[in-house]
Amino acid sequence: MKKMGFSLAAILLVLLALPLYVELAMSPAGKEGWYFTMFLTIDPIFVGLLGIFAGSDIKRLWFLPLLAALAFAPLFWLSTLRVDTDLFLYTAIYLLIAAVTMVLSEIVFDRVRKGRRER
């Protein structure tokens, strides 16, 4: 339960608080640079790490990467009050990144568990 609470808090922090901070505290020129940084580095790395985390216990945590990817566009719209249809493309890419990392990490964690049982 602690894992899910921490993950949900991280989702809200990265996908809601960070864009809200950028919107309220940055100049217009700085905002665009930060949005570019968030879309191309911070958010993909975050959903990838969330996918790896969910792959450690895929039966209980499978929904976390899905939740993060699907919550990206509405939370961004809520924090910036800008509706942009390109966010659906980012959502699809984030969902793909999260799904691939979740499956790959589940395979790796499964092999590690089997290796420990054989010893």
Side-chain angles (χ1 to χ4, degrees), residues 9-88:
I11 289 171
L12 285 177
L13 179 71
V14 171
L15 297 180
L16 180 64
L18 187 59
L20 191 60
Y21 170 75
V22 168
E23 187 66 28
L24 296 176
M26 298 283 181
S27 67
K31 287 180 190 179
E32 296 304 318
W34 268 101
Y35 290 146
F36 184 73
T37 303
M38 284 190 308
F39 290 157
L40 297 179
T41 57
I42 296 172
D43 292 343
I45 291 171
F46 174 70
V47 295
L49 291 174
L50 196 59
I52 291 170
F53 175 70
S56 67
D57 190 5
I58 202 166
K59 290 179 183 174
R60 288 188 324 136
L61 303 174
W62 63 270
F63 67 93
L64 289 175
L66 178 69
L67 177 68
L70 294 178
F72 165 72
L75 289 177
F76 185 80
W77 290 336
L78 182 67
S79 62
T80 63
L81 301 176
R82 278 197 276 182
V83 176
D84 191 5
T85 56
D86 291 339
L87 293 176
F88 292 117

Side-chain angles (χ1 to χ4, degrees), residues 63-115:
F63 67 93
L64 289 175
L66 178 69
L67 177 68
L70 294 178
F72 165 72
L75 289 177
F76 185 80
W77 290 336
L78 182 67
S79 62
T80 63
L81 301 176
R82 278 197 276 182
V83 176
D84 191 5
T85 56
D86 291 339
L87 293 176
F88 292 117
L89 177 64
Y90 287 108
T91 299
I93 292 170
Y94 296 162
L95 186 58
L96 180 67
I97 291 170
V100 168
T101 56
M102 183 173 60
V103 169
L104 289 177
S105 66
E106 195 271 332
I107 291 169
V108 169
F109 283 125
D110 191 42
R111 287 187 181 174
V112 168
R113 286 184 203 119
K114 285 182 182 178

